[in-house]
Amino acid sequence: MDRHILSVFVRNQYGVLARISSMFRRRGFNIDTLTVGATEDPDYSRMTVTFEGDDAVKNQIIRQLGKMPDVVSISELHRGDSVSRELVLIKVRNDKDTRQDIMSVIDIFRAKVVDYGTEAMTIEITGESSKIDAFVDLVKEFGIIEICRTGIVALERGSGSIRNKQ
Amino acid sequence: MCGEVMKLSGSEILIRTLIEQNVDVVFGYPGGQVINIYDTLYQHQDEIKHILTAHEQGAAHAADGYARSTGKVGVVIATSGPGATNLVTGIATAYLDSVPLVAITGNVSLPLIGRDSFQEVDITGITMPVTKHNYFVNKGEVLADTVREAFKLAMSGRPGPVLIDIPKDIQTSLYDYEPQPAVTADEKTAGDGDDISAAVELINNAKKPYIYCGGGVISGDASEEAVELAEKIDAVLGCSFMGLSAVSTDNPRFLGMQGMHGHYASSMAQHNADLIIAIGARFSDRATGNKAKYAPKAKIIHIDIDNAEIDKNISVDCGICGDVKLTLQKIIDSVDAKNNPEWIEKVSAFSAQEKEQLKLTSDMTPYNLIDVINKTVDADTVIATDVGQHQMWAAQYCKFSKPRKFVSSGGLGTMGFGLGAAIGAQIGSGKKSVLITGDGSFGMCLNELATAASYNVPVVIVIFNNGVLGMVRQWQTLFFDKHYSNTVLDRKTDFVKLAEAFGIKGYRCTEMAEFEKTMKSAFEDNGPVLIECFIDKDEMVLPMLPPGGSMDDIIVERLGD
């Protein structure tokens, strides 16, 4: 089963997030991540949805989204011709025995410490999901207190815009 | 038609925008949060007629029946809270059968929203999965355009219900209003040229074509094109439950309804076909039986206005998204005219076998009752039904010669739909309507007898009374060792007295001759008439596809005796 990323350009209307997530739920489509945010135009928002499934599932999702009045356009983002990022905050235990090891992992992954205390530190890391997963795996042994992931945001490479697609 | 800008109240803007859309009848029930809308309706009673039903559910079904029988958008109004939730079954019924409906609900004033105020309910949240779209109007400035957009959405593409929730303070405050002409549905276009060429090639190569008509043939006004295509390529036609009345039952190519309780000939024809052309249909589980075993020898072409239906339930060899009428016209222009004598002969043999399976008696059987109804009504009569065995018998045996003459809840299977829908269909079509119902279904929403009596609606109600919930009981007989769990009604209800109590003529028939006479006089009556007929509780709806079975697993003989 392949991982798919869809970028969905929607009218910034009352209930639009509920409407779209409700469609996913009732039709039994499993979402891995869903992010929503403002765009360059306040009348519209952009959603980035990631999910696993075969082509039949992907096509159904695109078609079901396509018939929703709030959806303006949909763009499928492929790995090769798009950039995707996720931002994560991870709070890990901080004690003097492991501090050096944690710092070297942070260094290797180009993450940064955004909050530091004698018992815990919060690390910010941005990157593709595979990098984040690897980082999370590595810091697990130091003791993760809590974690917050934004879900994936992605854009097509080049000069095109989702607004020009129908 | 555009004129000067006026300062009007929200409720005045709502009613004027409905009048803009040429709405002349609305169905509904007043209440605290729509009292301003009803006050405006009072002032515009010469332009919009309001039909007061007994219950909001009845109003929703009536608006649905109105829409199905006319092709126009049905309109229903209800108050907040319970008024709004009572619409939900009606809205879901319309959604599953793609019926254009605009439901208008009042809600508490904006400052009271979200505080669990008296009769407050989040009806836009509740109806999100059963509407094409819905609106919570939180700015009066957009009210008129919201109503216009709702009508456009309800009728465009694949039709469906749209709900508009209007808080009370929006109804009472003043906003600018500028009259506009009525909205029209989005422009219709034929499917993609390459897809059409692919379909033409498949059709030209087929020797055993079967055309599967869905409800989209009716809503897409493509009855003539479906028949024309069948004639040109020498195909046979069948239909889903929703496709009933799309093709005249007298057409010799027409095999009737297909699927779970479909005709033997249509099931066997699909099982043996080398090409299925599905038009405005969605391969519902009730229409196809087991999908894995559906039409094993056939290529499949699917034409539908809703792109999301293509490859949803069944993957097809050629999917065409477009207006069914325009697409069919292009296909008809391009395909080769053909003769398939062997195929027609083979299907005729299935039809002959089907005739032999029908064992006729002179008793009060469902077949005989419907035969009398067929002989009594005329081509313009709308036949409405409830849900259950009587519905399937009506689907199997009723005769139709024009589209939009069969009004029944197919997708949702809503018991209690029939009476409200029959009333709405009569009011919409201006022709007589006949409701075929069962004692179980009728018991659910019989309060609408009050509506039929108040407005003297000429609807003939024929109750097929078998004292049981026959369809579930049939399954219990066949698959649950005759454990008749809660399907034996044996109510003490006297339907004749009940009718009389509501101010309606009621008759009871125990013999066919009596029913024939009563049905005839009831049909000539100018008001509502109820006729109760008794049928045997062991009557079954046959043929039947067993659960998980394919079309050739069809059960034609009565089992379980």
Side-chain angles (χ1 to χ4, degrees):
Chain A
M1 291 230 278
D2 298 324
R3 186 106 188 261
H4 304 281
I5 305 177
L6 294 181
S7 215
V8 189
F9 202 62
V10 300
R11 294 198 290 188
N12 188 11
Q13 297 268 352
Y14 184 91
V16 64
L17 174 61
R19 213 175 280 288
I20 287 179
S21 54
S22 154
M23 186 281 286
F24 274 88
R25 178 191 54 77
R26 80 189 170 92
R27 296 213 177 261
F29 302 135
N30 281 318
I31 307 175
D32 289 336
T33 71
L34 171 67
T35 64
V36 198
T39 66
E40 67 282 6
D41 183 338
D43 290 339
Y44 299 95
S45 303
R46 184 177 186 125
M47 294 189 180
T48 309
V49 189
T50 67
F51 55 91
E52 281 187 0
D54 56 20
D55 276 357
V57 167
K58 183 191 75 187
N59 291 335
Q60 254 304 298
I61 288 178
I62 292 173
R63 285 169 175 169
Q64 292 293 350
L65 281 170
K67 67 190 241 192
M68 302 184 78
D70 282 339
V71 173
V72 179
S73 59
I74 306 160
S75 167
E76 187 187 354
L77 299 177
H78 301 282
R79 213 183 149 76
D81 51 19
S82 67
V83 284
S84 71
R85 290 289 181 274
E86 201 177 355
L87 184 144
V88 188
L89 296 175
I90 307 167
K91 197 186 287 176
V92 292
R93 283 191 205 292
N94 183 11
D95 64 59
K96 58 181 189 313
D97 298 338
T98 57
R99 191 166 299 147
Q100 272 317 308
D101 292 343
I102 298 174
M103 293 315 284
S104 45
V105 174
I106 288 171
D107 198 36
I108 291 162
F109 277 79
R110 292 188 195 142
K112 60 181 175 188
V113 178
V114 289
D115 182 53
Y116 190 89
T118 49
E119 289 177 3
M121 68 172 103
T122 300
I123 307 159
E124 174 194 314
I125 176 167
T126 309
E128 287 204 18
S129 298
S130 52
K131 172 182 162 185
I132 307 246
D133 292 341
F135 182 79
V136 171
D137 257 4
L138 280 171
V139 295
K140 230 177 229 166
E141 62 169 304
F142 308 122
I144 294 174
I145 299 167
E146 57 180 348
I147 190 163
C148 181
R149 296 176 77 139
T150 58
I152 288 169
V153 294
L155 281 181
E156 194 181 61
R157 292 181 189 272
S159 61
S161 160
I162 191 168
R163 301 200 69 165
N164 305 326
K165 300 189 179 202
Q166 277 307 313
Chain B
M1 243 180 99
C2 302
E4 60 190 294
V5 178
M6 291 170 266
K7 238 352 175 210
L8 299 174
S9 69
S11 58
E12 186 73 39
I13 291 172
L14 168 69
I15 299 304
R16 290 202 186 201
T17 324
L18 293 182
I19 295 168
E20 259 177 26
Q21 310 312 319
N22 302 313
V23 172
D24 50 9
V25 183
V26 296
F27 301 85
Y29 207 96
Q33 305 307 323
V34 287
I35 195 161
N36 294 84
I37 294 173
Y38 274 80
D39 189 60
T40 311
L41 275 171
Y42 180 82
Q43 292 162 38
H44 287 276
Q45 55 188 295
D46 294 339
E47 294 154 282
I48 290 195
K49 184 174 183 183
H50 178 273
I51 304 289
L52 174 66
T53 55
H55 189 286
E56 288 91 350
Q57 184 182 345
H61 293 326
D64 178 316
Y66 174 95
R68 290 185 204 230
S69 66
T70 60
K72 294 194 277 187
V73 177
V75 181
V76 58
I77 301 176
T79 192
S80 63
T85 54
N86 281 343
L87 294 180
V88 174
T89 301
I91 293 171
T93 304
Y95 183 71
L96 266 286
D97 289 347
S98 309
V99 177
L101 206 69
V102 169
I104 294 157
T105 50
N107 210 330
V108 298
S109 291
L110 285 170
L112 295 173
I113 290 282
R115 294 162 191 272
D116 301 322
S117 307
F118 176 66
Q119 292 196 329
E120 183 200 352
V121 83
D122 172 23
I123 196 63
T124 41
I126 291 171
T127 57
M128 209 172 265
V130 291
T131 49
K132 245 184 115 168
H133 196 61
N134 61 22
Y135 301 89
F136 176 71
V137 182
N138 56 2
K139 286 196 288 280
E141 291 77 12
V142 300
L143 175 60
D145 281 344
T146 301
V147 177
R148 291 169 188 137
E149 190 176 293
F151 272 80
K152 196 175 183 63
L153 265 178
M155 64 174 97
S156 291
R158 178 180 184 173
V162 180
L163 179 135
I164 309 170
D165 194 28
I166 312 172
K168 181 154 172 154
D169 48 350
I170 303 269
Q171 298 169 31
T172 54
S173 306
L174 297 178
Y175 306 98
D176 285 346
Y177 168 75
E178 188 181 355
Q180 300 270 330
V183 297
T184 50
D186 290 342
E187 197 187 340
K188 294 173 175 175
T189 51
D192 175 77
D194 290 344
D195 293 339
I196 290 176
S197 303
V200 166
E201 197 183 327
L202 285 172
I203 295 171
N204 285 344
N205 290 330
K207 291 186 173 63
K208 301 172 184 174
Y210 175 97
I211 298 177
Y212 157 20
C213 298
V217 175
I218 297 171
S219 54
D221 186 26
S223 294
E224 280 176 32
E225 286 76 10
V227 172
E228 196 183 332
L229 177 65
E231 282 165 358
K232 187 163 184 186
I233 64 169
D234 207 10
V236 292
L237 295 138
C239 69
S240 67
F241 179 82
M242 289 309 299
L244 280 166
S245 85
V247 177
S248 168
T249 40
D250 287 337
N251 188 317
R253 295 181 184 278
F254 185 61
L255 307 175
M257 180 176 71
Q258 65 187 60
M260 179 167 267
H261 291 296
H263 287 262
Y264 177 77
S266 80
S267 292
M268 295 310 287
Q270 285 170 89
H271 197 74
N272 287 279
D274 66 357
L275 180 70
I276 304 276
I277 307 169
I279 310 169
R282 61 184 174 91
F283 297 91
S284 145
D285 50 291
R286 283 296 189 271
T288 60
N290 185 339
K291 283 181 188 30
K293 301 176 189 168
Y294 177 69
K297 301 160 197 165
K299 299 270 187 200
I300 300 176
I301 297 170
H302 186 187
I303 310 167
D304 204 281
I305 189 75
D306 181 356
N307 196 28
E309 284 305 334
I310 313 281
D311 291 329
K312 184 182 90 176
N313 287 337
I314 217 159
S315 49
V316 297
D317 300 281
C318 173
I320 308 176
C321 174
D323 177 71
V324 289
K325 188 184 185 80
L326 297 176
T327 304
L328 282 175
Q329 283 169 348
K330 290 205 167 178
I331 292 176
I332 292 164
D333 286 346
S334 311
V335 287
D336 301 336
K338 291 228 292 213
N339 283 306
N340 303 308
E342 282 174 32
W343 173 233
I344 298 298
E345 197 180 320
K346 186 164 185 161
V347 176
S348 302
F350 294 138
S351 297
Q353 276 173 275
E354 182 179 312
K355 283 206 180 71
E356 282 169 27
Q357 289 156 9
L358 196 63
K359 293 184 181 68
L360 295 178
T361 65
S362 56
D363 303 335
M364 276 197 107
T365 60
Y367 178 87
N368 286 339
L369 291 171
I370 290 172
D371 192 43
V372 168
I373 294 171
N374 283 336
K375 285 171 181 157
T376 311
V377 303
D378 56 49
D380 291 317
T381 309
V382 175
I383 306 282
T385 80
D386 267 302
V387 169
Q389 285 185 311
H390 71 272
Q391 177 192 32
M392 290 300 119
W393 288 316
Q396 291 174 331
Y397 306 135
C398 279
K399 301 265 188 206
F400 302 102
S401 54
K402 292 180 182 177
R404 300 197 175 279
K405 298 303 171 195
F406 187 59
V407 168
S408 186
S409 167
L412 197 67
T414 309
M415 289 173 74
F417 169 79
L419 184 53
I423 292 168
Q426 195 289 318
I427 289 167
S429 67
K431 309 291 180 190
K432 291 255 156 94
S433 67
V434 172
L435 169 65
I436 298 176
T437 182
D439 50 321
S441 281
F442 190 68
M444 284 203 175
C445 294
L446 55 77
N447 48 4
E448 295 307 334
L449 285 173
T451 314
S454 296
Y455 295 93
N456 199 36
V457 181
V459 49
V460 182
I461 302 157
V462 184
I463 304 177
F464 286 27
N465 189 348
N466 55 4
V468 295
L469 296 174
M471 186 57 97
V472 177
R473 189 175 185 279
Q474 173 170 339
W475 280 62
Q476 290 170 335
T477 303
L478 295 174
F479 312 116
F480 290 87
D481 297 328
K482 299 188 185 178
H483 296 163
Y484 296 126
S485 174
N486 290 281
T487 50
V488 181
L489 293 172
D490 276 338
R491 305 271 198 223
K492 306 289 179 264
T493 316
D494 182 329
F495 285 110
V496 174
K497 279 189 186 157
L498 179 88
E500 285 164 358
F502 274 98
I504 286 174
K505 290 172 196 161
Y507 302 94
R508 184 172 291 124
C509 298
T510 50
E511 284 170 17
M512 280 315 296
E514 199 183 357
F515 177 64
E516 219 170 315
K517 216 174 99 196
T518 312
M519 183 67 207
K520 196 165 182 291
S521 66
F523 192 70
E524 283 161 7
D525 202 289
N526 291 322
V529 181
L530 180 149
I531 309 171
E532 180 187 23
C533 301
F534 296 100
I535 60 166
D536 191 290
K537 65 179 186 302
D538 291 320
E539 283 283 356
M540 282 198 191
V541 182
L542 293 169
M544 177 176 191
L545 301 181
S550 71
M551 292 272 179
D552 67 339
D553 293 328
I554 190 164
I555 302 168
V556 294
E557 297 277 341
R558 187 152 132 178
L559 303 173
D561 282 333

